[in-house]
Amino acid sequence: MGAGVTGVRRKVALDEGETGRVACASVIAFRGFDTVSGEVLKVAALVERVGWLTVLVETMAGGVVGGHWSRAELAVLASGVSRAGERLPSNAWMAMRTLGWTAVVPAGLYVPDRVRRVAEEQAGRVLRSAEWRAALVDAVLETWPAAGDPMKRSVEEWAALRAACPQGAAVPASVFRSRTRQVLRFLAVHRHLPADLCELEAAPGGGRQVALAAADKQLATLARCEDDPARYAVLTVRLPVRPDPRTRGDWHPVRIRIRLPPTIDAAAALHAPTLRPLGGRLRLDVAHTTAVPKTRRDGHTRAVAFDYGLNTLLTGGTLTLTGGTQPTVLTDGQPAFLRTNGALAKADRLRVHAEHLWTKAAHLELLLGGQRARGLHPDPAIVTKLAGLRTEHSRVSGRRRRLNAEISKAAARFMVDHARAAQASVICLEDLRDMESRGKGRTLNTRLSSSVRGQIVADVRHQAARHGIAVVIVPARGTSRFCPRCLTAFRHHAAPDSTRPGWKWATCPHPDCGYSADRDVAAWQRIGARGLQHQHLTVLDRANGTYVIRRTVQDLDQPVQHTKPTHPDPFEAGPDERPPCAQAATQGPRPTRSTISSRTGQWSRWKASGGAAAPVTHPPPPAARPAAGTAHDEHPHTAPTARGQTRRRLPPAHPRHPAHTAAATAKPETFSPKAEHSAPVGKT
């Protein structure tokens, strides 16, 4: 624990075209060293001391928040100007002291001023974040319908609600609906509408954490180790040695050596962490800054776009914007899929298990409530069983959170890797914040509510920033409804070979197009085209640092042109692109497509252009040639290949799509839209 430390740079050197990227990584601390007593603190002792500090900070921060939890004081803090006309600093603790909202130390205790500063910083952050929620509640209450269901507002009422809210046009409808439901629950209990947010919600706490970013070197320092600065760092922080410190001597400096995760570069600038005692462990959220390429708001010529799905998590591809007076979006139409069926199935099993545990716990709570209502003492067996069910439910919930986090990170890596391979400078995603799991059936509602779309966007934005790739959120309306090649409204049905109504497959009814594809395959093309064609309307959302396209212009929506068939015809013989040595290994004329039996669907025979049977591979030497009538002489697929020779790859024995059967006897000269996908054929 006595290893030397080196100074930590607070800023990183930036070159031309670079910017600083701030990220956070979680680290677990296992032991500490008390520099005053020389005691080595194990995990339990270290967590205990940090817990005492956390309780002090949380108590003082909660007192500040509760003492100023009113709508008028929230407005003063959000205005940025004090009542005396003085401008408030950007740091929360400095703004709180400017307003005179200081933390009060519990009677009889000694707390350093830097610890009070941390408590005031956390209280200021909580109060500042409440202003946005207060503005939403004010808009909902101001436009509350006098008659009718508030959850079913008319078009005029929705327009009035968005006008009453600051930047209401950018707020998702789901956020307004959630606040409306909250007000309805308050109305059902108290029989009147709340006056504002401060009456609707109780004052929040200060948070069970210690944000050392508000302190200076007198309270905490973080430095890299001299022996291995890339992997280890040392945090020195003053901690109390008792839960009720009385004097200055009750605060001892403790050195905590932590191992930095590989996600923190050796050249990154480290910042003061946040301490979180959780589950018998001490977690440190270490913030760090690295130099990354700048992302561009517009000027993109190549993009990758992805569409979310239920069975297939992500479906996407690459699009290119051509120059000229009339820019055109080109794509090869070849999609990339990310399927996490096993992980999603496990998440569903955990969800069902958690619901069963919750149902059992609710039943036991009803039993205990009935016993208390009759004046009986609660049954100890029921109390013990209820505690076990709650513990098991919390464990299952933790497993669900970890699994969803892994799914989200895997999806983000998939999109970023695809963008880097395609040399794209932007990733286009659809905005699904307004999609709610209601009115779609019990199964579909559950699957929609269990998705992790928001976490995927946060993770892909975090990983893409490292490589200078922008993430743009585009409006989702109409992306699955219209054909990407002619912008005609789709006809949706269950499958490509079924006309039964459904949502999986889409077919264009236009006679000159006839595009037929999976709904998600068509959607990602519209998402990418909208992101490239409307990139001059991209704005930066200051709340989360994401580029957003909030409105679209109908005249800018242009069809997507395909450079080649999405699914090349396996029956069409194209040019031989093999190396010359491989071409020489195969002799004889190239085989042509033969007819397919409509009953059995198998090949009849390969026929050469002259009518004679064509050999598939180079004839083997006489010594190695099998005798006539043997198994190797019965079918060309089983013909042996000599060492060093190359076997020509034949089309599959069964067509992949019913359209191939209908087109087996005709060879188109040029590519046409109908040649790529045909309309669905009915089942026979």
Side-chain angles (χ1 to χ4, degrees):
M1 301 300 297
V5 296
T6 60
V8 175
R9 294 181 294 108
R10 298 296 180 183
K11 297 182 179 180
V12 294
L14 301 178
D15 297 335
E16 187 67 23
E18 291 185 341
T19 184
R21 167 179 167 271
V22 181
C24 185
S26 294
V27 182
I28 301 297
F30 296 99
R31 62 180 60 87
F33 177 73
D34 192 332
T35 59
V36 176
S37 63
E39 179 185 1
V40 176
L41 304 177
K42 299 295 184 179
V43 177
L46 182 61
V47 172
E48 184 182 30
R49 291 197 181 187
V50 176
W52 294 337
L53 175 62
T54 304
V55 170
L56 291 174
V57 171
E58 186 178 10
T59 302
M60 292 186 292
V64 175
V65 174
H68 302 280
W69 185 248
S70 66
R71 187 67 185 91
E73 291 179 306
L74 291 180
V76 171
L77 182 61
S79 65
V81 180
S82 65
R83 290 188 174 91
E86 186 178 359
R87 184 176 179 179
L88 298 179
S90 59
N91 292 334
W93 69 271
M94 297 179 65
M96 302 294 285
R97 293 193 175 186
T98 302
L99 293 173
W101 304 351
T102 57
V104 179
V105 179
L109 302 183
Y110 173 81
V111 177
D113 181 72
R114 271 59 181 179
V115 177
R116 294 178 54 240
R117 182 189 298 183
V118 171
E120 293 163 356
E121 174 72 20
Q122 296 183 184
R125 293 180 182 181
V126 171
L127 293 176
R128 280 180 170 176
S129 63
E131 172 60 26
W132 185 74
R133 304 197 306 274
L136 288 176
V137 174
D138 292 344
V140 171
L141 295 176
E142 182 181 348
T143 60
W144 192 264
D149 188 0
M151 296 298 296
K152 299 179 180 179
R153 298 174 183 261
S154 62
V155 178
E156 294 77 10
E157 291 174 342
W158 272 109
L161 175 59
R162 294 187 179 278
C165 180
Q167 299 181 354
V171 178
S174 58
V175 176
F176 287 118
R177 291 194 184 99
S178 63
R179 291 297 169 182
T180 303
R181 286 191 288 265
Q182 185 181 14
V183 174
L184 287 175
R185 288 193 296 267
F186 183 91
L187 179 62
V189 175
H190 301 279
R191 303 298 181 182
H192 67 86
L193 291 175
D196 48 33
L197 175 71
C198 298
E199 184 181 0
L200 181 64
E201 297 180 1
R208 189 167 178 78
Q209 62 182 8
V210 180
L212 298 179
D216 55 10
K217 295 182 179 180
Q218 295 187 18
L219 180 65
T221 59
L222 180 64
R224 294 181 181 267
C225 295
E226 290 183 351
D227 51 356
D228 195 352
R231 299 179 58 188
Y232 293 95
V234 175
L235 171 66
T236 304
V237 57
R238 295 179 62 188
L239 298 177
V241 297
R242 50 187 293 181
D244 52 345
R246 301 291 181 177
T247 62
R248 183 182 179 89
D250 292 335
W251 293 80
H252 290 185
V254 177
R255 303 183 66 182
I256 305 173
R257 181 171 177 172
I258 58 177
R259 182 171 182 175
L260 301 177
T263 54
I264 300 180
D265 297 336
L270 303 181
H271 307 289
T274 298
L275 307 181
R276 301 177 187 271
L278 181 64
R281 292 185 177 184
L282 176 59
R283 176 175 297 177
L284 290 80
D285 295 339
V286 182
H288 57 281
T289 304
T290 55
V292 297
K294 289 183 178 180
T295 58
R296 295 179 296 171
R297 183 180 64 89
D298 52 9
H300 306 287
T301 59
R302 177 166 294 184
V304 294
F306 293 91
D307 179 71
Y308 299 108
L310 293 178
N311 299 325
T312 302
L313 184 60
L314 291 175
T315 304
T318 308
L319 302 99
T320 304
L321 181 66
T322 62
T325 57
Q326 187 65 28
T328 305
V329 178
L330 304 178
T331 180
D332 57 3
Q334 297 184 356
F337 303 97
L338 175 63
R339 297 183 175 92
T340 57
N341 298 336
L344 294 178
K346 182 177 180 179
D348 189 67
R349 291 195 299 269
L350 292 176
R351 176 190 60 80
V352 173
H353 185 33
E355 290 178 354
H356 288 170
L357 293 175
W358 182 268
T359 303
K360 293 180 180 179
H363 178 67
L364 294 182
E365 289 177 354
L366 289 177
L367 293 179
L368 293 178
Q371 293 178 358
R372 296 189 185 96
R374 294 193 300 269
L376 301 177
H377 186 74
D379 189 352
I382 298 180
V383 174
T384 303
K385 187 175 182 180
L386 178 60
L389 289 175
R390 288 175 175 173
T391 303
E392 181 65 19
H393 183 271
S394 62
R395 293 176 179 175
V396 174
S397 300
R399 293 177 61 187
R400 294 181 62 189
R401 286 193 299 268
R402 291 190 293 270
L403 181 59
N404 288 334
E406 292 299 326
I407 294 175
S408 176
K409 292 178 181 178
R413 287 194 299 268
F414 174 80
M415 288 188 282
V416 173
D417 292 345
H418 189 77
R420 295 179 62 191
Q423 298 181 354
S425 59
V426 60
I427 299 176
C428 297
L429 302 174
E430 57 182 340
D431 187 2
L432 295 180
R433 294 179 299 172
D434 280 343
M435 187 175 68
E436 296 185 75
S437 56
R438 57 188 183 90
K440 297 179 176 61
R442 179 178 180 181
T443 302
L444 188 56
N445 288 345
T446 303
R447 296 182 66 184
L448 290 175
S449 61
S450 302
S451 58
V452 289
R453 297 182 302 272
Q455 186 62 33
I456 289 177
V457 174
D459 288 343
V460 71
R461 181 167 49 87
H462 171 74
Q463 296 187 22
R466 178 184 293 271
H467 307 284
I469 301 175
V471 178
V472 178
I473 308 299
V474 303
R477 182 177 296 274
T479 54
S480 302
R481 180 183 178 186
F482 298 100
C483 174
R485 294 174 48 168
C486 65
L487 302 182
T488 304
F490 269 137
R491 290 179 181 173
H492 294 91
H493 41 98
D497 58 347
S498 173
T499 58
R500 181 169 53 87
W503 59 272
K504 181 60 177 174
W505 201 263
T507 301
C508 179
H510 197 282
D512 296 334
C513 180
Y515 182 75
S516 181
D518 188 279
R519 178 189 179 102
D520 296 340
V521 173
W524 71 258
Q525 301 178 45
R526 294 278 294 125
I527 294 172
R530 181 170 290 179
L532 289 176
Q533 293 167 348
H534 293 79
Q535 55 184 299
H536 62 283
L537 301 177
T538 305
V539 297
L540 179 63
D541 190 351
R542 300 290 182 180
N544 50 23
T546 305
Y547 291 115
V548 182
I549 299 177
R550 293 174 176 169
R551 63 184 182 91
T552 58
V553 181
Q554 185 176 1
D555 296 337
L556 295 179
D557 282 335
Q558 298 297 326
V560 178
Q561 296 185 7
H562 288 198
T563 57
K564 61 180 180 180
T566 304
H567 302 291
D569 191 353
F571 304 98
E572 181 178 356
D576 198 343
E577 300 179 354
R578 296 174 301 159
C581 58
Q583 298 181 19
T586 305
Q587 299 180 358
R590 292 176 61 86
T592 60
R593 179 170 45 193
S594 64
T595 59
I596 303 176
S597 173
S598 59
R599 293 185 179 181
T600 61
Q602 298 180 353
W603 292 96
S604 59
R605 277 185 186 279
W606 281 98
K607 296 295 184 180
S609 58
V616 178
T617 61
H618 183 73
R625 183 175 302 173
T630 59
H632 292 297
D633 196 39
E634 294 177 357
H635 198 277
H637 287 171
T638 59
T641 302
R643 186 174 183 180
Q645 299 176 357
T646 304
R647 183 191 301 272
R648 181 177 295 277
R649 190 177 185 86
L650 293 180
H654 297 278
R656 296 184 179 179
H657 194 280
H660 295 160
T661 305
T665 59
K667 176 180 178 181
E669 297 295 336
T670 58
F671 170 71
S672 64
K674 293 185 179 180
E676 179 180 0
H677 293 286
S678 300
V681 181
K683 292 184 178 179
T684 58

